[in-house]
Structure formats: C-alpha cells, structure tokens
Amino acid sequence: MEVAIFKTADEASRAAACLIGRSLKEKSSGTVLGLATGQTPLGTYEELVKMHKAAKISFRNVTAFNLDEYVGLEASDPRSYRAYMREHLFSKVDIESARCFIPDGSTRDPRAECTTYEEKIRKAGGIDLQLLGLGQDGHIGFNEPSSSLSSRTRLKTLTHVTRAANAANFGGSEKVPQHVLTMGLGTIMEARHCVLLALGANKADAVQKMVEGPLSAMLPASILQMHPRCTVILDEAAASGLARQNYYREVFAGKPAWQRWDLPLD
Ligand code: F6R
C-alpha cells in the first residue's frame, strides 16, 4: 500500500486527478476506469474536467464502470448516481455515453442485473484503475461491515451510519434508499490498480484502521492491504490518526522523479 499525504483536500484531489490522467495517457487503446460517487471525488472530477478542457487528456476511448447505485431510483432521478456522474463528469468530457456503465437501480431483477454487470466488466477486459472513497464505517463501494471479503456485485443493505451520511440529498436519512447494488470486494480487488481517496477528519479513524489495523470484514476497506497495487491519497486531516505518518511521508518524498504520479501533466 502506498500512502500519499497532501496538505489540503484540494492538493490531494489534484494529485488523484493527475494519477488518473496519467493512466488515460498511458493506455491509448482505452483505459477502463472504475469510478466512485459521493463528496470525496468531486474535486478530482473538477480537475479532470479542467485537464480535458486544456486538451491534456481525452476520454474518447475510456470505458467507465461505477461502483454502485441506489435501488429503486430511475436513472433520470436527480438523486441517482447516474445523474451525479452525468452532472459532474460525463457531460463535461468527451466520453461516449454507451461506454458509461452504472448498475441499474431501477431493475426488477437485481440478481440478473448484478451478474450482467460483472460480465460487462469482464468483457471490457477488467478495470485498469478503480477510484474509491471510504465510508466512516470502513466501507468501499457499498460493502458495509461484515461483507464477504470475496463478494461480487450484488444487492446490499446500507447501515444507519451510511444512510445518515447521505441524508442531505434525500431530505433526511430515513428517506435514503435502504438498498443498493454495489460491486463486491472481490470485484474491486480484481482492478489492476486501486486508488483510494479520503479527505477530512471524519475519515481519520477509518483510514487508520484500513492502513494499520488488522484485516477484517468488519472494516471492509482493510482488504486493500492484500492488493498488489493500491495507492491511498489523503489530506492531512484524514491522515491524522496514522501511527506511521512520518514513514509514509519519507517514502513518498524519496520517490525518484520518474515514479512521481502527482505532478501536473504536460
Ligand atoms: C460511492 C461509494 C462510497 C463512498 C463513501 C464515501 O460510490 O462507493 O463508498 O465513496 O460512502 O462517501 P463520501 O465521499 O460522500 O464521504
């Protein structure tokens, strides 16, 4: 696990965008991106849009798979993650809409939808880079504590903590859908590169447990300790609980120039 700590949330978001931008440039045949929603990636999407407008990156050949969607919301519902992605990224870059995949939360057959979603990822050649946020209870995607560490895309029930964290968009936590379709931990672990972004002091406890705690289904993000290539991008507030902060900073500062992924793209 590489842990990169930046002073502010803006700097961390810019660094994440540079890392994603680099992966788009490296694979001209078309990067397969796994994408997240929520508050955390907003700054990163803003930076990616800026980089696209400055003609530094193109999404023309990109295929995108989102992690999750609420069950019971139509794609046109402004509270859906499809609407979120349209608003914050897809409508602002040159990605082909036919290559933007999000689980269909309005399906009548969630099980079939989840199986098909897994097949689509496989057909696309698997995910090159999976962007992840982190729940305060340690979830990634919507794999809540006690999720199987080898789970696949499926229907899950949100915890009260997660529903409360997402209450603003719905006008109260009791109005947040109880169920979601989410990629599983096994699905996420098959991405060739996992990039987890966590910002703010309310994530510090989950970050510390994910990076330095024991591997446990009770803190689903700790499965990333088993990933051969996982980059954790933090601001200082989110990193504040880490016992080995100084060591992570030393490692990152000592990287040779050719390994730096956080520098602005030409
Ligand atoms: C969203 C997702 C979730 C969020 C997490 C953090 O697609 O998969 O795991 O990343 O709930 O949410 P925010 O960023 O709103 O704190």
Side-chain angles (χ1 to χ4, degrees):
M1 225 180 219
E2 175 181 29
V3 180
I5 304 170
F6 295 87
K7 207 166 186 45
T8 64
D10 283 352
E11 283 173 41
S13 302
R14 250 194 312 276
C18 290
L19 177 53
I20 296 169
R22 281 202 159 71
S23 94
L24 299 198
K25 281 174 96 84
E26 262 163 29
K27 199 172 169 192
S28 51
S29 60
T31 306
V32 180
L33 285 181
L35 296 173
T37 54
Q39 289 302 308
T40 308
L42 287 175
T44 298
Y45 292 151
E46 216 174 284
E47 285 299 323
L48 285 171
V49 170
K50 274 193 212 156
M51 284 158 61
H52 169 66
K53 291 215 159 43
K56 291 183 177 171
I57 52 169
S58 167
F59 288 75
R60 209 173 312 119
N61 296 321
V62 167
T63 302
F65 287 94
N66 264 77
L67 282 164
D68 37 31
E69 180 60 284
Y70 292 110
V71 168
L73 298 191
E74 294 295 329
S76 57
D77 191 308
R79 301 163 302 177
S80 71
Y81 283 153
R82 184 168 284 283
Y84 169 108
M85 289 309 299
R86 209 181 301 122
E87 180 183 347
H88 297 291
L89 188 67
F90 296 159
S91 66
K92 296 179 174 167
V93 297
D94 57 345
I95 196 164
E96 265 188 44
S97 55
R99 281 210 286 256
C100 298
F101 298 101
I102 301 183
D104 177 6
S106 66
T107 180
R108 291 205 181 168
D109 189 347
R111 198 173 291 177
E113 171 62 17
C114 293
T115 307
T116 309
Y117 202 65
E118 291 271 340
E119 272 165 22
K120 284 179 187 160
I121 296 174
R122 238 186 328 269
K123 269 199 191 142
I127 292 172
D128 291 306
L129 186 154
Q130 175 66 58
L131 180 64
L132 298 163
L134 178 67
Q136 289 177 50
D137 60 3
H139 69 238
I140 49 176
F142 275 133
N143 295 283
E144 298 284 30
S146 81
S147 287
S148 156
L149 295 176
S150 58
S151 47
R152 310 302 307 187
T153 305
R154 69 216 183 289
L155 185 141
K156 284 294 287 178
T157 305
L158 295 179
T159 61
H160 292 295
V161 177
T162 304
R163 289 175 82 199
N166 291 289
N169 282 345
F170 290 88
S173 62
E174 72 290 347
K175 294 191 183 131
V176 177
Q178 203 184 359
H179 297 114
V180 289
L181 302 183
T182 180
M183 277 188 209
L185 294 170
T187 320
I188 292 169
M189 287 294 283
E190 280 173 10
R192 287 180 273 280
H193 187 181
C194 283
V195 178
L196 184 138
L197 179 65
L199 308 172
N202 64 342
K203 301 292 171 73
D205 183 51
V207 166
Q208 194 279 328
K209 289 178 175 144
M210 167 183 74
V211 178
E212 297 176 333
L215 195 158
S216 163
M218 294 316 288
L219 202 292
S222 64
I223 188 67
L224 294 171
Q225 293 175 18
M226 297 286 289
H227 198 284
R229 191 173 177 210
C230 175
T231 306
V232 176
I233 304 178
L234 307 171
D235 64 1
E236 282 189 343
S240 60
L242 290 168
R244 309 201 74 192
Q245 250 184 83
N246 291 343
Y247 174 65
Y248 309 135
R249 287 180 195 276
E250 217 176 282
V251 172
F252 194 68
K255 265 179 174 309
W258 62 268
Q259 271 193 342
R260 291 289 295 265
W261 43 259
D262 58 316
L263 306 175
L265 300 186
D266 304 329

